Amino acid sequence: MSDTGVVLTDIRKSFGNLEVIHGIDLTITEGSFVVFVGPSGCGKSTLLRMIAGLEEVTDGEIEIKGRNVTDLDPSDRGIAMVFQSYALYPHMSVRENMAFGLKMARLPEPEIDSRVKAASAILKIDPLLDRRPGQLSGGQRQRVAIGRAIVRKPDVFLFDEPLSNLDAELRVSMRIEIARLHRELGNTMIYVTHDQTEAMTLADMIVVLRDGRVEQTGSPREIYENPANTFVAGFIGSPRMNLLNAEWTGDGSIRIGNSRIAVQIDDNRMAPGGKLTLGVRPEHMNVVVDTEGTLRAKVDFYEYLGGTQFLYCQLEDGQAVTAEYRSSVPVEAGDILHFRWQADDLRFFDAAGLRLKGAC
Amino acid sequence: MTGTGSKALLPRRKRRRRSGWRGFLYIAPAMALVILFFVMPVIFTGWMSLHNWPLMGGTRWIGFNNYVRMFHDARFMSALRFTAYYTVIVTIAIFAVAFPLAIFVEKQRRFVSAYRTIIFLPVVIGLATASLLWVWLANVDSGFIGPALKALGWVDKSPNLLATFDSAFLTIIIMVVWKIAGFTMIILLTGLQAIPADLTEAARIDGAGRWQRFRHVTLPLMRKTIALALIISVTGSILAFDQFYIMTSGGPQNRMISVVYYIFNQSFVSFNLGYGAALSIALLAILVAISIVQLWLLRVGEERP
């Protein structure tokens, strides 16, 4: 197990009688970039803070680099953390902020100096070393916060929604910066966000959480292409995947409203007349001219984004469906369109929301 | 063009002047109170201090003689010394009690608001009332402290706490701490609560222990709050009067005459109103000087040089 970065075994957390993390098992390989993603209140920050040692673990075990750190102080775990609020010491200069942890560890002065210099060179903040956090912009502060983490030379970097306080443009450039940093340093990084774009672009492995449970782990591609359930399917991807209520007829087709569409499902859990959910992403909804075996929908409104358009439509039975539309033929609200898709772009989920095996 | 321009300017200037008047109107009540009850009395006191001003009979202009007299007044000097001694001891005692209390009641724990209320409760009692209460508590026969010590078998004979300088001084210090510490605690508590939890957590990750976090993060970030609490505590102590007047009447061998007590004696016992006024002006100057030094030392308003 020594080559493994972080191992969580049956981690639980309760506040009083309320259990918020319900037994999480997770193995994070050393050097990987893992993103915890989920809606607010899903426990992703709590989980990160337990790894950091800022929150006590009610039950379970945390191992970092083969060492059980469950009951160790945050500073003894070989971690460094970057906070959403930056959490820079306002009364210290940038240099002092970065050196503080090293001073606490009683490192010799020349060593502290060289580490601060190296980190500030990586982050290009050398000219700011003598300023105070109050004199810096948001992006600069975030760099300093990352610098303070780097100088500790941790085994694991922890990021708690580090880009949430930045404006959109800065968020994109800092995201690229963090990806570059991971490439250069090669440390294990655990990153918490509710922004799925950050999750998709940064992660080697995404952990989707909901209500204190892991819904799915996997690479961004796995999560996007093979969501394990309707929650993951709906949460990852923007606009979200269309999840349509359908009925399995048992004779090689499904019924959505009045439309009958030929599909093939090899899952013996499905009985004729059974309810299921059809998942199809907006970019896989193709507008076609023929009407046989297609999905008929009326355009409610659309968003023109230049390179593409999103059509927000309504089926005859009232279900909402979103489609990405790239054709130059103009579409107006009120138009009736017919949609079809490639068979292997469809995903099926049973009544409980779990993925059904099968293809069209 | 220029003609219309200047014409257009005119009403705007008038409007600005009118809004200036309106602003003045808003602060007028407060200004009136300050002028009536602070500025004018100070000016009048200054005027009195330049006179020989007995309670009855004519006043006589004597220039700065009252101020010259002050420097050769041994009793005034000893009152200054005693006040300084008292201020230093009581301020240290208040902070030594209030700071741990503030840290104690800052954490969310069971009954924390009950603790806060109980600790704050003595603050709402008047100082004179508290002094009277403690005169009774310290009474040798019918009080509480002495008889209780005797009942516990710690002393053979109930001590007269207010009879010797040391025990009387200690009693007064304890009384004032009991009375004031809750207030200082609340001020310090607001400062503690203003420090974001993230900072403390960042310091924990940086490996700072409890004391180092206090020393390197909490204390520097509380400088403004500490400055406020310190100035309130120091000025309050320099102006101390009630407790010495009520509890010890100036203390054993008149060794507990504070500056204000001495001014009171000069003005309303000996009726040297002019000299009392001069002493008051001197005390005001001392207070202003001390506050300036404290503000400068703690550098309120900027983060650090």
Side-chain angles (χ1 to χ4, degrees), chain A residues 49 53-54 74-75 79 81 83 85 87-92 96 100-101 104 132 148 152, chain B residues 198-209 212-213 216-218 220-221 303-305:
Chain A
R49 290 166 55 81
L54 296 173
S75 55
I79 53 110
M81 184 152 165
F83 293 82
S85 64
L88 298 175
Y89 310 120
H91 56 293
M92 298 183 195
E96 288 166 326
F100 183 70
M104 290 296 112
R132 270 173 212 295
R148 186 172 63 181
R152 290 176 52 79
Chain B
D198 278 359
L199 281 186
T200 319
E201 291 178 346
R204 273 176 73 193
I205 289 176
D206 271 337
Q212 286 165 323
R213 289 202 298 272
H216 294 291
V217 181
T218 312
L221 293 177
E303 292 230 299
R304 220 171 57 174

Side-chain angles (χ1 to χ4, degrees), chain B residues 1 7 24 36 41 67 82 198 204 209 214:
Chain B
M1 273 307 279
K7 243 181 232 164
F24 186 77
L36 195 64
Y67 291 93
F82 172 71
D198 278 359
R204 273 176 73 193
F214 181 74

